[in-house]
Amino acid sequence: MLRAYILVDTSTDADLLHSASQILHIKHVRTIATTTGSHDFVVRVECEEEGALEETIIEIRKMEGIKKTETLVVLSESTPERDRAIR
């Protein structure tokens, strides 16, 4: 399973609720968080292969009002409940 977080910046005139709703309906998107700071959204993506991740990124970038994305691919992830890395 390939996991990634996509940081999304929108244009100043973008409708954030509409953009978030559109992004949530993309196939491999699991969650979207509206954030403060440098980025407007953090999108969690899970898919089986790199090609699907690339398609998801392209689909987000093509949306009206999306200015920029930055993708962070997860190498490992830990949780308090499981004191070990998930691979």
Side-chain angles (χ1 to χ4, degrees), residues 43-60:
V43 179
R44 186 170 61 104
V45 174
E46 293 179 355
C47 50
E48 294 299 324
E49 57 190 37
E50 291 175 15
L53 175 59
E54 183 177 12
E55 289 172 14
T56 302
I57 295 165
I58 290 169
E59 193 168 346
I60 292 171

Side-chain angles (χ1 to χ4, degrees), residues 60-76:
I60 292 171
R61 286 182 177 168
K62 285 182 177 179
M63 290 181 165
E64 185 178 338
I66 302 303
K67 185 169 66 172
K68 179 179 136 185
T69 65
E70 179 180 350
T71 303
L72 309 171
V73 175
V74 175
L75 300 177
S76 66

Side-chain angles (χ1 to χ4, degrees), residues 1-85:
M1 175 71 61
L2 179 62
R3 289 181 307 275
Y5 291 93
I6 303 173
L7 309 176
V8 179
D9 299 345
T10 61
S11 57
T12 55
D13 61 344
D15 180 341
L16 292 180
L17 292 177
H18 180 70
S19 296
S21 178
Q22 284 188 302
I23 292 170
L24 256 180
H25 286 89
I26 295 173
K27 182 178 180 181
H28 299 289
V29 170
R30 297 298 172 248
T31 63
I32 183 168
T34 304
T35 61
T36 61
S38 301
H39 307 286
D40 297 305
F41 303 120
V42 177
V43 179
R44 186 170 61 104
V45 174
E46 293 179 355
C47 50
E48 294 299 324
E49 57 190 37
E50 291 175 15
L53 175 59
E54 183 177 12
E55 289 172 14
T56 302
I57 295 165
I58 290 169
E59 193 168 346
I60 292 171
R61 286 182 177 168
K62 285 182 177 179
M63 290 181 165
E64 185 178 338
I66 302 303
K67 185 169 66 172
K68 179 179 136 185
T69 65
E70 179 180 350
T71 303
L72 309 171
V73 175
V74 175
L75 300 177
S76 66
E77 195 168 41
S78 298
T79 64
E81 298 83 27
R82 298 165 70 192
D83 193 10
R84 64 182 177 83

